[in-house]
Amino acid sequence: MKKIFLLIATLAFFITGCSLEERRQNALDIDSAIQSPEDLANMANYMNIYLRAYSAGSYVYIPEIASDLFNPNSNYGNRSGGTYRWQWDGGSSFNAYWAPSYYAINHSCFIIEKAGELDMTAYTPEQIASVNNSLGIAYFTKAYFGLKLLEYYCLPYSSANAGTYGIMLVDLHRPNGDIASYPGRSTLQESYDWVIANLNQAETYLAATPGAVGSTVLTIDAVHALQARLALEMGDWDLAISKSKALVDGGKYPLINTLADMPGLWTNDNGKECIVQMWADLAASSLPSSNDPGYHSYNAQSKAYTPDWIANKYLISLYGPNDIRYKTWFEEGIKVSAANGATGVVTLFNKFPGNPALQPTGAETSSHLQKIKLFRIAEQYLIAAEAYARNGADIPARTYLGKLITARDASFDITSLDALSGDALLDVILEERLRELVGEGFRWLDLRRWGKGMKRGDVQLLSIISTAGADADANSMSVSASDHRWVGPIPSEERDANPQIRDQQNPGY
């Protein structure tokens, strides 16, 4: 991590391995980069783009491919194969989360420090509000990526795990490569407390930025949505209920409940249900990565479907025939070609079909690009339902669960929930969470949080599924809840560069 942060004239940040005596051409001096609220806002607004970049693409589909929902087509070319087979170590796909998270945290520290150097005595109320908004973005970003690090590199939160390794806590911008100043890993409890503290600061500074449907920037509602998610992760059921219930009951973000409107959520990115939907624009060449790793690949030359990943029978079986999600996100009767010459008719997952407004004119195949939905109100219904159920309050748990289910499937018999309580009710809530959030990067993390382990279900059509080498076993693999791989490895290059964590690798690696 002996790297330095520089701001180039276009306000796009990058990390360079240059020494301190070198400065890249057109780079702004780090000491003079921020001289006004406008400078600070430009830098803080970049974090919205950064949040978009690292809440899309492989950062979303890695935990889906690692879970129990998809199998590889025989022509998948081993793309994400190691992830599917759970073959991660200090140099694996789990490295993807480490460096970007710490880059974002370090960048946020820089914004906070520079805001503190501004002389605000002569600023207008509008300028002061702008500074506060920039600070809110910075503190939110620290909390958001701090939670990501905890989810992938630390044990799940519990009082029993409180003293185990957490993350490196960074509150000072460190551009100088001073190895001796790098922190070691704090405890898990200290790390979660640090995330909470930063999120509380974000709540203070973004208090004057009201939520709006489909907001392209961070708002106070985004803070509350992340607080609810964090509280669920920590088992703070009362706080999870309080934050999620306020968002749901406020009525600002109504659920989509018709088949006609459902495609607009993902195909056209109309922003409905979205607490935050990140900005993207084709003309400005500002686009996120695709959340589709090959769920719905089509070869225009051969006019054949050649997906890398095919939904298994378990996932498909969870939906009723009238569920508007199934009718929108899945396509039945698709003829698929495989590398071994076999063909077969299967159901393909297509939650991310590609927004036409983000596709180049005349494109023969979809790039599967969508505007990134950082928070959706449906997740808050699920948080409220689960938190109430775990708190022993079955009636409100069934109420919030029923509202989401009936919005998605008007034919659902709501009275079937009346007899559910305890573990039986939780099981239905967890299944509904899968039905709603599939493909959005939650599944592996949910399995880990619930501590139930993982068992892959039956494949749709074995003749087209990869059975090469270790894939044969991976297609039906079981992973116990105690397996050390539910916690990712600290990247080897990080441990080599930072002597404070050299001996703080996670167990099993």
Side-chain angles (χ1 to χ4, degrees), residues 128-454:
I128 292 172
S130 176
V131 171
N132 287 339
N133 186 74
S134 297
L135 284 168
I137 292 170
Y139 279 113
F140 178 94
T141 302
K142 287 180 71 181
Y144 182 87
F145 284 102
L147 179 57
K148 288 289 185 188
L149 289 164
L150 286 164
E151 288 175 325
Y152 286 103
Y153 299 103
C154 302
L155 289 170
Y157 182 85
S158 70
S159 57
N161 292 337
T164 61
Y165 280 134
I167 61 176
M168 303 184 304
L169 305 184
V170 178
D171 288 310
L172 296 174
H173 178 239
R174 288 181 170 87
N176 59 6
D178 178 10
I179 292 175
S181 72
Y182 294 164
R185 297 177 70 181
S186 297
T187 68
L188 191 69
Q189 185 64 58
E190 291 167 339
S191 300
Y192 271 96
D193 289 344
W194 179 87
V195 171
I196 291 169
N198 280 284
L199 200 47
N200 288 343
Q201 288 280 61
E203 185 176 30
T204 297
Y205 285 112
L206 288 174
T209 306
V213 175
S215 174
T216 59
V217 297
L218 298 177
T219 67
I220 189 61
D221 285 353
V223 175
H224 293 156
L226 185 56
Q227 286 174 325
R229 185 184 293 176
L230 174 62
L232 193 73
E233 175 80 16
M234 297 183 69
D236 186 343
W237 313 129
D238 289 338
L239 183 59
I241 290 167
S242 172
K243 295 298 182 179
S244 61
K245 186 175 184 296
L247 287 167
V248 169
D249 292 353
K252 187 184 299 181
Y253 308 96
L255 289 168
I256 292 170
N257 59 9
T258 68
L259 182 59
D261 287 342
M262 198 64 180
L265 176 60
W266 292 100
T267 303
N268 303 116
D269 297 323
N270 58 22
K272 290 183 179 180
E273 293 197 0
C274 296
I275 298 169
V276 175
Q277 179 175 265
M278 308 303 288
W279 178 81
D281 187 87
L282 178 64
S285 298
S286 184
L287 298 170
S289 299
S290 173
N291 290 344
D292 186 328
Y295 299 131
H296 196 263
S297 302
Y298 179 74
N299 188 313
Q301 293 181 333
S302 64
K303 300 187 184 305
Y305 286 91
T306 56
D308 280 358
W309 299 98
I310 298 174
N312 63 24
K313 289 182 178 179
Y314 168 64
L315 174 58
I316 294 170
S317 71
L318 292 175
Y319 297 87
N322 297 314
D323 194 310
I324 61 176
R325 294 168 298 195
Y326 183 78
K327 289 175 175 289
T328 308
W329 302 344
F330 293 82
E331 292 185 20
E332 297 177 334
I334 302 297
K335 185 178 180 180
V336 169
S337 298
N340 59 7
T343 60
V345 176
V346 296
T347 297
L348 293 185
F349 179 62
N350 194 26
K351 193 172 187 176
F352 312 108
N355 185 337
L358 301 180
Q359 313 286 337
T361 302
E364 291 186 300
T365 59
S366 174
S367 55
H368 297 279
L369 297 182
Q370 314 293 151
K371 293 182 179 180
I372 302 305
K373 293 147 185 59
L374 203 62
F375 298 102
R376 292 198 295 119
I377 196 63
E379 181 195 359
Q380 300 302 312
Y381 277 87
L382 291 161
I383 290 173
E386 183 178 345
Y388 268 122
R390 293 191 184 277
N391 225 11
D394 293 339
I395 293 176
R398 292 194 295 261
T399 298
Y400 286 100
L401 174 63
K403 287 180 178 179
L404 177 58
I405 294 178
T406 53
R408 303 314 197 200
D409 186 350
S411 68
F412 178 76
D413 179 9
I414 192 71
T415 63
S416 65
L417 300 179
D418 292 347
L420 295 179
S421 62
D423 289 343
L425 176 57
L426 272 171
D427 286 344
V428 175
I429 292 170
L430 302 186
E431 280 193 353
E432 184 61 22
R433 187 173 171 90
L434 170 53
R435 277 189 286 268
E436 180 63 38
L437 301 178
V438 58
E440 297 182 52
F442 289 93
R443 181 58 176 173
W444 186 86
L445 295 172
D446 282 345
L447 291 170
R448 169 190 133 98
R449 177 170 63 86
W450 300 330
K452 290 189 172 185
M454 185 191 81

Side-chain angles (χ1 to χ4, degrees), residues 12-173:
F13 280 76
F14 57 88
I15 304 175
T16 174
C18 301
S19 71
L20 287 177
E21 288 71 39
E22 298 174 333
R23 188 160 69 88
R24 197 179 288 265
Q25 187 177 7
N26 296 327
L28 298 180
D29 183 80
I30 200 167
D31 293 322
S32 60
I34 297 179
Q35 300 293 311
S36 69
E38 291 73 25
D39 292 339
L40 192 72
N42 286 334
M43 190 171 290
N45 285 339
Y46 173 71
M47 298 315 292
N48 286 314
I49 302 298
Y50 200 80
L51 281 163
R52 183 189 73 184
Y54 292 100
S55 301
S58 61
Y59 304 96
V60 170
Y61 63 68
I62 281 175
E64 301 296 306
I65 297 304
S67 75
D68 56 342
L69 307 178
F70 300 94
N71 305 109
N73 188 357
S74 65
N75 66 352
Y76 84 122
N78 201 38
R79 288 176 288 272
S80 299
T83 296
Y84 180 67
R85 296 186 294 271
W86 285 52
Q87 294 171 336
W88 41 81
D89 53 30
S92 72
S93 58
F94 267 76
N95 288 23
Y97 298 96
W98 184 275
S101 295
Y102 274 112
Y103 172 54
I105 291 169
N106 200 34
H107 187 137
S108 297
C109 290
F110 179 71
I111 293 171
I112 293 166
E113 289 174 16
K114 290 302 179 182
E117 295 173 5
L118 295 176
D119 181 3
M120 298 177 64
T121 56
Y123 288 168
T124 65
E126 291 76 15
Q127 288 176 311
I128 292 172
S130 176
V131 171
N132 287 339
N133 186 74
S134 297
L135 284 168
I137 292 170
Y139 279 113
F140 178 94
T141 302
K142 287 180 71 181
Y144 182 87
F145 284 102
L147 179 57
K148 288 289 185 188
L149 289 164
L150 286 164
E151 288 175 325
Y152 286 103
Y153 299 103
C154 302
L155 289 170
Y157 182 85
S158 70
S159 57
N161 292 337
T164 61
Y165 280 134
I167 61 176
M168 303 184 304
L169 305 184
V170 178
D171 288 310
L172 296 174
H173 178 239

